[in-house]
Amino acid sequence: MTIIEDRKVALLARVRDYGGPLNEPAVLAQFLAQVMHESGGLRYVREIWGPTKAQKGYEGRKDLGNTMAGDGKRYKGRGLIQITGRNNYRSCSIALYGAPDVLLGKPEMLESVIPACRSAGWFWQSSKLNALADENDFTRITLRINGGQNGAADRQIHYQRACEVLAC
């Protein structure tokens, strides 16, 4: 099995962990569209680091909790939804492992198949994206995940494909 196939199987299993509205086809399609874009079709579980101008901007961003030198790169986007910033790593670590220091001490754990999938489900749930998906507010979902509308057209393509399969 390829790494992409491993991620597909693990992602579908983790979706069940979050239950509720993610079991509704239209909401699941929105979740999958965002995951597929953020991960480059499940190919990436780590942000490709340039560093680009935007990535350099992670350094010192208090809203991300990046208050120590090097936090920007250390807590770059990881997982299938690209968890970014010290604050998000801390919150994700508490949710997934019951302790803040697990992911803070070893952020690359989010590059492993199961944590990459679980972190995507955690982010979706903790960001209350089911409510926006129920309203079919794709723009605000993208904004919460990405901070802007980067890749909006690609996300829509993934959404349409998911809807074809899921019969939304």
Side-chain angles (χ1 to χ4, degrees):
M1 195 179 304
T2 69
I3 190 68
I4 291 177
E5 290 168 336
D6 286 346
R7 290 176 185 154
K8 283 179 190 175
V9 169
L11 180 62
L12 293 175
R14 299 293 73 78
V15 165
R16 283 188 226 111
D17 292 347
Y18 292 90
L22 273 179
N23 292 331
E24 296 172 16
V27 174
L28 179 56
Q30 291 179 64
F31 172 77
L32 292 173
Q34 296 292 338
V35 164
M36 293 301 285
H37 175 78
E38 289 290 314
S39 68
L42 303 179
R43 287 188 298 275
Y44 306 109
V45 289
R46 176 181 62 239
E47 183 175 2
I48 299 168
W49 194 261
T52 65
K53 183 178 178 181
Q55 290 166 329
K56 287 179 185 176
Y58 294 164
E59 196 64 33
R61 274 190 53 190
K62 291 183 182 181
D63 63 317
L64 292 175
N66 292 343
T67 57
M68 298 176 67
D71 278 356
K73 185 172 184 181
R74 180 168 175 79
Y75 301 110
K76 63 185 170 186
R78 288 190 177 90
L80 293 180
I81 275 193
Q82 302 292 312
I83 305 302
T84 305
R86 179 183 282 273
N87 286 345
N88 284 323
Y89 275 78
R90 178 183 297 109
S91 296
C92 185
S93 186
I94 291 168
L96 300 186
Y97 301 104
D101 56 342
V102 175
L103 291 176
L104 290 177
K106 196 169 180 188
E108 63 277 1
M109 284 177 64
L110 288 184
E111 296 174 30
S112 298
V113 173
I114 300 300
C117 295
R118 290 184 70 212
S119 68
W122 164 80
F123 187 85
W124 185 271
Q125 185 179 56
S126 67
S127 298
K128 299 179 177 30
L129 297 178
N130 280 334
L132 295 178
D134 286 340
E135 296 170 15
N136 200 28
D137 195 340
F138 209 81
T139 300
R140 284 182 38 209
I141 292 170
T142 300
L143 179 64
R144 287 221 186 136
I145 290 172
N146 180 262
Q149 294 301 308
N150 297 329
D154 183 59
R155 294 168 202 269
Q156 285 291 335
I157 290 167
H158 287 297
Y159 175 68
Q160 293 304 322
R161 287 182 185 151
C163 277
E164 289 170 13
V165 172
L166 297 170
C168 317

